Amino acid sequence: MAATKVKKSDAGQGAGNVGGGFRNRIPDMPNVDDQSSSSGSFGYLLVLVMFALVFVLMIPLIGMLYVDTMVVKREAKAQMEKVEKLRKQVEEDAKREAEPR
């Protein structure tokens, strides 16, 4: 008769998790060691090549754009100086013509 007594601590979710306890409620985690890393490496390699192409093409284009804007700015400044010089010359000619003789 002593063999049929069950302690409260041994019933249900007690020691051993026997009979549908807590362990059966959580799904097993997939084993990532079995997967091959070749598909992941190909993706990283593809992204690396794309970044290299973008930088190889974009950096020279940005440099050419910067140089072009500097040239245009210098030409615009030279044109403004010419216009200012011509304006002063026209004002001086107008003053000379307005003076009584």
Side-chain angles (χ1 to χ4, degrees), residues 64-78:
M64 286 188 284
L65 185 65
Y66 178 73
V67 169
D68 190 38
T69 55
M70 296 304 287
V71 167
V72 168
K73 187 186 284 188
R74 188 173 51 226
E75 289 175 358
K77 186 176 179 181

Side-chain angles (χ1 to χ4, degrees), residues 1-2 6 12-13 16-17 34 37 47 56 60 67 71 81 99:
M1 251 177 43
V6 177
Q13 296 178 4
N17 289 330
D34 294 338
S37 63
V47 169
V56 165
V67 169
V71 167
E81 289 173 356
E99 288 179 358

